[in-house]
PDB file of all heavy atoms in Angstrom:
ATOM      1  N   VAL A  17      42.679 125.759 128.299  1.00 96.00           N
ATOM      2  CA  VAL A  17      41.463 125.841 127.491  1.00 96.00           C
ATOM      3  C   VAL A  17      40.510 126.823 128.153  1.00 96.00           C
ATOM      4  O   VAL A  17      40.128 126.644 129.321  1.00 96.00           O
ATOM      5  CB  VAL A  17      40.799 124.464 127.329  1.00 96.00           C
ATOM      6  CG1 VAL A  17      39.502 124.592 126.528  1.00 96.00           C
ATOM      7  CG2 VAL A  17      41.759 123.492 126.641  1.00 96.00           C
ATOM      8  N   LEU A  18      40.115 127.852 127.408  1.00 96.00           N
ATOM      9  CA  LEU A  18      39.219 128.894 127.911  1.00 96.00           C
ATOM     10  C   LEU A  18      37.866 128.733 127.198  1.00 96.00           C
ATOM     11  O   LEU A  18      37.738 129.064 126.019  1.00 96.00           O
ATOM     12  CB  LEU A  18      39.816 130.276 127.621  1.00 96.00           C
ATOM     13  CG  LEU A  18      39.370 131.440 128.489  1.00 96.00           C
ATOM     14  CD1 LEU A  18      39.740 131.191 129.939  1.00 96.00           C
ATOM     15  CD2 LEU A  18      39.989 132.737 128.004  1.00 96.00           C
ATOM     16  N   PRO A  19      36.848 128.219 127.902  1.00 95.00           N
ATOM     17  CA  PRO A  19      35.551 127.987 127.247  1.00 95.00           C
ATOM     18  C   PRO A  19      34.866 129.265 126.767  1.00 95.00           C
ATOM     19  O   PRO A  19      34.264 129.281 125.699  1.00 95.00           O
ATOM     20  CB  PRO A  19      34.732 127.291 128.335  1.00 95.00           C
ATOM     21  CG  PRO A  19      35.745 126.701 129.262  1.00 95.00           C
ATOM     22  CD  PRO A  19      36.886 127.675 129.256  1.00 95.00           C
ATOM     23  N   ILE A  20      34.977 130.332 127.553  1.00 95.00           N
ATOM     24  CA  ILE A  20      34.382 131.606 127.166  1.00 95.00           C
ATOM     25  C   ILE A  20      35.408 132.719 127.353  1.00 95.00           C
ATOM     26  O   ILE A  20      36.370 132.575 128.113  1.00 95.00           O
ATOM     27  CB  ILE A  20      33.097 131.921 127.983  1.00 95.00           C
ATOM     28  CG1 ILE A  20      33.418 131.994 129.478  1.00 95.00           C
ATOM     29  CG2 ILE A  20      32.015 130.879 127.713  1.00 95.00           C
ATOM     30  CD1 ILE A  20      32.217 132.381 130.344  1.00 95.00           C
ATOM     31  N   ALA A  21      35.224 133.818 126.615  1.00 96.00           N
ATOM     32  CA  ALA A  21      36.172 134.926 126.720  1.00 96.00           C
ATOM     33  C   ALA A  21      36.172 135.495 128.136  1.00 96.00           C
ATOM     34  O   ALA A  21      35.156 135.479 128.834  1.00 96.00           O
ATOM     35  CB  ALA A  21      35.816 136.010 125.711  1.00 96.00           C
ATOM     36  N   GLY A  22      37.340 135.985 128.549  1.00 95.00           N
ATOM     37  CA  GLY A  22      37.423 136.579 129.876  1.00 95.00           C
ATOM     38  C   GLY A  22      38.863 136.772 130.320  1.00 95.00           C
ATOM     39  O   GLY A  22      39.807 136.597 129.542  1.00 95.00           O
ATOM     40  N   LYS A  23      39.003 137.127 131.576  1.00 96.00           N
ATOM     41  CA  LYS A  23      40.324 137.398 132.145  1.00 96.00           C
ATOM     42  C   LYS A  23      40.830 136.155 132.874  1.00 96.00           C
ATOM     43  O   LYS A  23      40.075 135.513 133.617  1.00 96.00           O
ATOM     44  CB  LYS A  23      40.258 138.575 133.110  1.00 96.00           C
ATOM     45  CG  LYS A  23      41.623 138.976 133.676  1.00 96.00           C
ATOM     46  CD  LYS A  23      41.495 140.041 134.759  1.00 96.00           C
ATOM     47  CE  LYS A  23      41.075 139.398 136.071  1.00 96.00           C
ATOM     48  NZ  LYS A  23      41.221 140.305 137.233  1.00 96.00           N
ATOM     49  N   ILE A  24      42.093 135.853 132.652  1.00 97.00           N
ATOM     50  CA  ILE A  24      42.752 134.830 133.454  1.00 97.00           C
ATOM     51  C   ILE A  24      43.905 135.479 134.207  1.00 97.00           C
ATOM     52  O   ILE A  24      44.465 136.483 133.758  1.00 97.00           O
ATOM     53  CB  ILE A  24      43.276 133.651 132.602  1.00 97.00           C
ATOM     54  CG1 ILE A  24      44.404 134.118 131.652  1.00 97.00           C
ATOM     55  CG2 ILE A  24      42.145 132.985 131.828  1.00 97.00           C
ATOM     56  CD1 ILE A  24      45.115 132.966 130.960  1.00 97.00           C
ATOM     57  N   ASP A  25      44.228 134.918 135.350  1.00 97.00           N
ATOM     58  CA  ASP A  25      45.364 135.396 136.148  1.00 97.00           C
ATOM     59  C   ASP A  25      46.389 134.276 136.249  1.00 97.00           C
ATOM     60  O   ASP A  25      46.110 133.193 136.776  1.00 97.00           O
ATOM     61  CB  ASP A  25      44.900 135.812 137.543  1.00 97.00           C
ATOM     62  CG  ASP A  25      44.136 137.112 137.532  1.00 97.00           C
ATOM     63  OD1 ASP A  25      44.762 138.152 137.296  1.00 97.00           O
ATOM     64  OD2 ASP A  25      42.903 137.072 137.736  1.00 97.00           O
ATOM     65  N   LEU A  26      47.566 134.546 135.701  1.00 98.00           N
ATOM     66  CA  LEU A  26      48.678 133.600 135.774  1.00 98.00           C
ATOM     67  C   LEU A  26      49.549 133.950 136.973  1.00 98.00           C
ATOM     68  O   LEU A  26      49.896 135.118 137.173  1.00 98.00           O
ATOM     69  CB  LEU A  26      49.521 133.658 134.502  1.00 98.00           C
ATOM     70  CG  LEU A  26      48.853 133.151 133.226  1.00 98.00           C
ATOM     71  CD1 LEU A  26      49.517 133.753 131.999  1.00 98.00           C
ATOM     72  CD2 LEU A  26      48.918 131.634 133.163  1.00 98.00           C
ATOM     73  N   LYS A  27      49.917 132.954 137.742  1.00 98.00           N
ATOM     74  CA  LYS A  27      50.788 133.194 138.909  1.00 98.00           C
ATOM     75  C   LYS A  27      51.876 132.129 138.935  1.00 98.00           C
ATOM     76  O   LYS A  27      51.591 130.933 138.881  1.00 98.00           O
ATOM     77  CB  LYS A  27      49.991 133.168 140.209  1.00 98.00           C
ATOM     78  CG  LYS A  27      50.849 133.486 141.434  1.00 98.00           C
ATOM     79  CD  LYS A  27      50.024 133.499 142.718  1.00 98.00           C
ATOM     80  CE  LYS A  27      50.901 133.828 143.923  1.00 98.00           C
ATOM     81  NZ  LYS A  27      50.110 133.837 145.188  1.00 98.00           N
ATOM     82  N   MET A  28      53.094 132.613 139.032  1.00 98.00           N
ATOM     83  CA  MET A  28      54.248 131.706 139.054  1.00 98.00           C
ATOM     84  C   MET A  28      55.156 132.081 140.215  1.00 98.00           C
ATOM     85  O   MET A  28      55.441 133.264 140.436  1.00 98.00           O
ATOM     86  CB  MET A  28      55.009 131.805 137.726  1.00 98.00           C
ATOM     87  CG  MET A  28      56.210 130.884 137.593  1.00 98.00           C
ATOM     88  SD  MET A  28      56.976 131.085 135.945  1.00 98.00           S
ATOM     89  CE  MET A  28      58.275 129.860 136.031  1.00 98.00           C
ATOM     90  N   ILE A  29      55.597 131.084 140.975  1.00 98.00           N
ATOM     91  CA  ILE A  29      56.576 131.294 142.045  1.00 98.00           C
ATOM     92  C   ILE A  29      57.812 130.490 141.658  1.00 98.00           C
ATOM     93  O   ILE A  29      57.760 129.261 141.573  1.00 98.00           O
ATOM     94  CB  ILE A  29      56.036 130.850 143.413  1.00 98.00           C
ATOM     95  CG1 ILE A  29      54.764 131.623 143.758  1.00 98.00           C
ATOM     96  CG2 ILE A  29      57.086 131.058 144.496  1.00 98.00           C
ATOM     97  CD1 ILE A  29      54.093 131.156 145.037  1.00 98.00           C
ATOM     98  N   SER A  30      58.907 131.186 141.392  1.00 97.00           N
ATOM     99  CA  SER A  30      60.081 130.553 140.767  1.00 97.00           C
ATOM    100  C   SER A  30      61.309 130.621 141.667  1.00 97.00           C
ATOM    101  O   SER A  30      61.633 131.670 142.232  1.00 97.00           O
ATOM    102  CB  SER A  30      60.389 131.252 139.437  1.00 97.00           C
ATOM    103  OG  SER A  30      61.635 130.844 138.930  1.00 97.00           O
ATOM    104  N   SER A  31      61.995 129.495 141.758  1.00 96.00           N
ATOM    105  CA  SER A  31      63.302 129.435 142.438  1.00 96.00           C
ATOM    106  C   SER A  31      64.449 129.535 141.440  1.00 96.00           C
ATOM    107  O   SER A  31      65.605 129.298 141.794  1.00 96.00           O
ATOM    108  CB  SER A  31      63.421 128.125 143.226  1.00 96.00           C
ATOM    109  OG  SER A  31      62.444 128.059 144.244  1.00 96.00           O
ATOM    110  N   ILE A  32      64.136 129.891 140.202  1.00 95.00           N
ATOM    111  CA  ILE A  32      65.132 129.985 139.131  1.00 95.00           C
ATOM    112  C   ILE A  32      65.593 131.433 139.012  1.00 95.00           C
ATOM    113  O   ILE A  32      64.787 132.354 139.022  1.00 95.00           O
ATOM    114  CB  ILE A  32      64.530 129.507 137.790  1.00 95.00           C
ATOM    115  CG1 ILE A  32      63.914 128.119 137.954  1.00 95.00           C
ATOM    116  CG2 ILE A  32      65.585 129.510 136.693  1.00 95.00           C
ATOM    117  CD1 ILE A  32      63.120 127.643 136.763  1.00 95.00           C
ATOM    118  N   TYR A  33      66.893 131.627 138.886  1.00 93.00           N
ATOM    119  CA  TYR A  33      67.427 132.990 138.848  1.00 93.00           C
ATOM    120  C   TYR A  33      66.895 133.765 137.649  1.00 93.00           C
ATOM    121  O   TYR A  33      66.495 134.920 137.781  1.00 93.00           O
ATOM    122  CB  TYR A  33      68.952 132.949 138.808  1.00 93.00           C
ATOM    123  CG  TYR A  33      69.600 134.318 138.877  1.00 93.00           C
ATOM    124  CD1 TYR A  33      69.708 134.981 140.099  1.00 93.00           C
ATOM    125  CD2 TYR A  33      70.082 134.945 137.738  1.00 93.00           C
ATOM    126  CE1 TYR A  33      70.276 136.232 140.179  1.00 93.00           C
ATOM    127  CE2 TYR A  33      70.653 136.199 137.804  1.00 93.00           C
ATOM    128  CZ  TYR A  33      70.748 136.841 139.030  1.00 93.00           C
ATOM    129  OH  TYR A  33      71.308 138.093 139.086  1.00 93.00           O
ATOM    130  N   GLU A  34      66.887 133.145 136.473  1.00 93.00           N
ATOM    131  CA  GLU A  34      66.302 133.764 135.285  1.00 93.00           C
ATOM    132  C   GLU A  34      65.611 132.686 134.477  1.00 93.00           C
ATOM    133  O   GLU A  34      66.182 131.619 134.234  1.00 93.00           O
ATOM    134  CB  GLU A  34      67.361 134.443 134.404  1.00 93.00           C
ATOM    135  CG  GLU A  34      67.892 135.737 134.953  1.00 93.00           C
ATOM    136  CD  GLU A  34      68.676 136.517 133.897  1.00 93.00           C
ATOM    137  OE1 GLU A  34      68.338 136.405 132.702  1.00 93.00           O
ATOM    138  OE2 GLU A  34      69.612 137.226 134.281  1.00 93.00           O
ATOM    139  N   VAL A  35      64.373 132.969 134.035  1.00 95.00           N
ATOM    140  CA  VAL A  35      63.632 132.008 133.238  1.00 95.00           C
ATOM    141  C   VAL A  35      62.725 132.772 132.277  1.00 95.00           C
ATOM    142  O   VAL A  35      62.304 133.901 132.562  1.00 95.00           O
ATOM    143  CB  VAL A  35      62.819 131.058 134.153  1.00 95.00           C
ATOM    144  CG1 VAL A  35      61.705 131.810 134.876  1.00 95.00           C
ATOM    145  CG2 VAL A  35      62.287 129.869 133.379  1.00 95.00           C
ATOM    146  N   ASN A  36      62.458 132.192 131.128  1.00 96.00           N
ATOM    147  CA  ASN A  36      61.553 132.807 130.152  1.00 96.00           C
ATOM    148  C   ASN A  36      60.174 132.169 130.246  1.00 96.00           C
ATOM    149  O   ASN A  36      60.060 130.952 130.451  1.00 96.00           O
ATOM    150  CB  ASN A  36      62.083 132.621 128.726  1.00 96.00           C
ATOM    151  CG  ASN A  36      63.360 133.393 128.479  1.00 96.00           C
ATOM    152  OD1 ASN A  36      63.515 134.515 128.941  1.00 96.00           O
ATOM    153  ND2 ASN A  36      64.300 132.788 127.765  1.00 96.00           N
ATOM    154  N   VAL A  37      59.133 132.984 130.074  1.00 97.00           N
ATOM    155  CA  VAL A  37      57.762 132.474 129.984  1.00 97.00           C
ATOM    156  C   VAL A  37      57.093 133.130 128.783  1.00 97.00           C
ATOM    157  O   VAL A  37      57.361 134.297 128.468  1.00 97.00           O
ATOM    158  CB  VAL A  37      56.956 132.741 131.269  1.00 97.00           C
ATOM    159  CG1 VAL A  37      57.579 132.024 132.461  1.00 97.00           C
ATOM    160  CG2 VAL A  37      56.850 134.225 131.572  1.00 97.00           C
ATOM    161  N   ASN A  38      56.261 132.377 128.103  1.00 97.00           N
ATOM    162  CA  ASN A  38      55.495 132.994 127.025  1.00 97.00           C
ATOM    163  C   ASN A  38      54.151 132.310 126.868  1.00 97.00           C
ATOM    164  O   ASN A  38      53.960 131.159 127.290  1.00 97.00           O
ATOM    165  CB  ASN A  38      56.277 133.032 125.711  1.00 97.00           C
ATOM    166  CG  ASN A  38      56.557 131.680 125.120  1.00 97.00           C
ATOM    167  OD1 ASN A  38      55.661 130.854 124.993  1.00 97.00           O
ATOM    168  ND2 ASN A  38      57.812 131.438 124.737  1.00 97.00           N
ATOM    169  N   LEU A  39      53.222 133.022 126.240  1.00 98.00           N
ATOM    170  CA  LEU A  39      51.871 132.533 125.998  1.00 98.00           C
ATOM    171  C   LEU A  39      51.564 132.690 124.517  1.00 98.00           C
ATOM    172  O   LEU A  39      51.768 133.774 123.948  1.00 98.00           O
ATOM    173  CB  LEU A  39      50.847 133.312 126.834  1.00 98.00           C
ATOM    174  CG  LEU A  39      49.395 132.829 126.733  1.00 98.00           C
ATOM    175  CD1 LEU A  39      49.236 131.463 127.395  1.00 98.00           C
ATOM    176  CD2 LEU A  39      48.439 133.852 127.375  1.00 98.00           C
ATOM    177  N   THR A  40      51.101 131.625 123.890  1.00 98.00           N
ATOM    178  CA  THR A  40      50.719 131.670 122.480  1.00 98.00           C
ATOM    179  C   THR A  40      49.311 131.111 122.319  1.00 98.00           C
ATOM    180  O   THR A  40      48.825 130.335 123.171  1.00 98.00           O
ATOM    181  CB  THR A  40      51.685 130.851 121.605  1.00 98.00           C
ATOM    182  OG1 THR A  40      51.659 129.490 122.038  1.00 98.00           O
ATOM    183  CG2 THR A  40      53.100 131.385 121.713  1.00 98.00           C
ATOM    184  N   ASP A  41      48.662 131.494 121.221  1.00 97.00           N
ATOM    185  CA  ASP A  41      47.342 130.922 120.943  1.00 97.00           C
ATOM    186  C   ASP A  41      47.498 129.633 120.151  1.00 97.00           C
ATOM    187  O   ASP A  41      48.618 129.181 119.881  1.00 97.00           O
ATOM    188  CB  ASP A  41      46.444 131.931 120.226  1.00 97.00           C
ATOM    189  CG  ASP A  41      46.975 132.328 118.848  1.00 97.00           C
ATOM    190  OD1 ASP A  41      47.806 131.585 118.287  1.00 97.00           O
ATOM    191  OD2 ASP A  41      46.548 133.388 118.350  1.00 97.00           O
ATOM    192  N   ASN A  42      46.368 129.059 119.759  1.00 97.00           N
ATOM    193  CA  ASN A  42      46.386 127.764 119.099  1.00 97.00           C
ATOM    194  C   ASN A  42      47.032 127.812 117.720  1.00 97.00           C
ATOM    195  O   ASN A  42      47.436 126.776 117.188  1.00 97.00           O
ATOM    196  CB  ASN A  42      44.949 127.230 118.982  1.00 97.00           C
ATOM    197  CG  ASN A  42      44.916 125.734 118.756  1.00 97.00           C
ATOM    198  OD1 ASN A  42      45.709 124.993 119.331  1.00 97.00           O
ATOM    199  ND2 ASN A  42      43.993 125.282 117.906  1.00 97.00           N
ATOM    200  N   ASP A  43      47.157 129.010 117.153  1.00 96.00           N
ATOM    201  CA  ASP A  43      47.781 129.170 115.844  1.00 96.00           C
ATOM    202  C   ASP A  43      49.264 129.529 115.939  1.00 96.00           C
ATOM    203  O   ASP A  43      49.910 129.775 114.910  1.00 96.00           O
ATOM    204  CB  ASP A  43      47.049 130.242 115.038  1.00 96.00           C
ATOM    205  CG  ASP A  43      45.611 129.850 114.738  1.00 96.00           C
ATOM    206  OD1 ASP A  43      45.382 128.650 114.479  1.00 96.00           O
ATOM    207  OD2 ASP A  43      44.714 130.727 114.783  1.00 96.00           O
ATOM    208  N   GLY A  44      49.776 129.590 117.152  1.00 96.00           N
ATOM    209  CA  GLY A  44      51.182 129.911 117.346  1.00 96.00           C
ATOM    210  C   GLY A  44      51.484 131.384 117.453  1.00 96.00           C
ATOM    211  O   GLY A  44      52.657 131.780 117.522  1.00 96.00           O
ATOM    212  N   ASN A  45      50.444 132.233 117.479  1.00 97.00           N
ATOM    213  CA  ASN A  45      50.659 133.675 117.623  1.00 97.00           C
ATOM    214  C   ASN A  45      51.027 133.996 119.064  1.00 97.00           C
ATOM    215  O   ASN A  45      50.342 133.564 120.001  1.00 97.00           O
ATOM    216  CB  ASN A  45      49.400 134.446 117.224  1.00 97.00           C
ATOM    217  CG  ASN A  45      49.024 134.204 115.772  1.00 97.00           C
ATOM    218  OD1 ASN A  45      49.857 134.320 114.881  1.00 97.00           O
ATOM    219  ND2 ASN A  45      47.753 133.854 115.527  1.00 97.00           N
ATOM    220  N   GLN A  46      52.095 134.741 119.247  1.00 97.00           N
ATOM    221  CA  GLN A  46      52.566 135.071 120.581  1.00 97.00           C
ATOM    222  C   GLN A  46      51.742 136.195 121.191  1.00 97.00           C
ATOM    223  O   GLN A  46      51.537 137.228 120.576  1.00 97.00           O
ATOM    224  CB  GLN A  46      54.042 135.476 120.538  1.00 97.00           C
ATOM    225  CG  GLN A  46      54.649 135.713 121.920  1.00 97.00           C
ATOM    226  CD  GLN A  46      56.152 135.869 121.865  1.00 97.00           C
ATOM    227  OE1 GLN A  46      56.877 134.890 121.851  1.00 97.00           O
ATOM    228  NE2 GLN A  46      56.622 137.094 121.793  1.00 97.00           N
ATOM    229  N   ILE A  47      51.289 135.956 122.413  1.00 98.00           N
ATOM    230  CA  ILE A  47      50.516 136.967 123.142  1.00 98.00           C
ATOM    231  C   ILE A  47      51.436 137.762 124.053  1.00 98.00           C
ATOM    232  O   ILE A  47      51.316 138.981 124.158  1.00 98.00           O
ATOM    233  CB  ILE A  47      49.385 136.278 123.926  1.00 98.00           C
ATOM    234  CG1 ILE A  47      48.421 135.604 122.939  1.00 98.00           C
ATOM    235  CG2 ILE A  47      48.654 137.272 124.825  1.00 98.00           C
ATOM    236  CD1 ILE A  47      47.448 134.661 123.568  1.00 98.00           C
ATOM    237  N   PHE A  48      52.353 137.097 124.708  1.00 97.00           N
ATOM    238  CA  PHE A  48      53.392 137.818 125.455  1.00 97.00           C
ATOM    239  C   PHE A  48      54.596 136.903 125.638  1.00 97.00           C
ATOM    240  O   PHE A  48      54.494 135.678 125.526  1.00 97.00           O
ATOM    241  CB  PHE A  48      52.885 138.343 126.804  1.00 97.00           C
ATOM    242  CG  PHE A  48      52.581 137.273 127.825  1.00 97.00           C
ATOM    243  CD1 PHE A  48      53.596 136.617 128.517  1.00 97.00           C
ATOM    244  CD2 PHE A  48      51.264 136.942 128.123  1.00 97.00           C
ATOM    245  CE1 PHE A  48      53.314 135.650 129.451  1.00 97.00           C
ATOM    246  CE2 PHE A  48      50.976 135.962 129.058  1.00 97.00           C
ATOM    247  CZ  PHE A  48      51.994 135.315 129.724  1.00 97.00           C
ATOM    248  N   SER A  49      55.752 137.529 125.919  1.00 97.00           N
ATOM    249  CA  SER A  49      56.981 136.826 126.264  1.00 97.00           C
ATOM    250  C   SER A  49      57.702 137.659 127.309  1.00 97.00           C
ATOM    251  O   SER A  49      58.022 138.828 127.054  1.00 97.00           O
ATOM    252  CB  SER A  49      57.864 136.632 125.031  1.00 97.00           C
ATOM    253  OG  SER A  49      59.082 135.982 125.393  1.00 97.00           O
TER     254      SER A  49
END
């Protein structure tokens, strides 16, 4: 939940050889995959 517009920094440290990540808005629109 982002109260005001701005930049967020996502950081993931994964022990998985290959994994998918994606970000969508509340309406299901994909921002990235």
Side-chain angles (χ1 to χ4, degrees):
V17 178
L18 203 61
I20 60 177
K23 184 187 79 167
I24 66 170
D25 287 290
L26 292 157
K27 183 178 180 180
M28 182 178 183
I29 301 175
S30 169
S31 297
I32 307 171
Y33 185 78
E34 286 194 31
V35 67
N36 293 321
V37 298
N38 66 49
L39 184 69
T40 60
D41 64 19
N42 200 39
D43 296 322
N45 299 310
Q46 185 170 277
I47 297 168
F48 69 76
S49 178

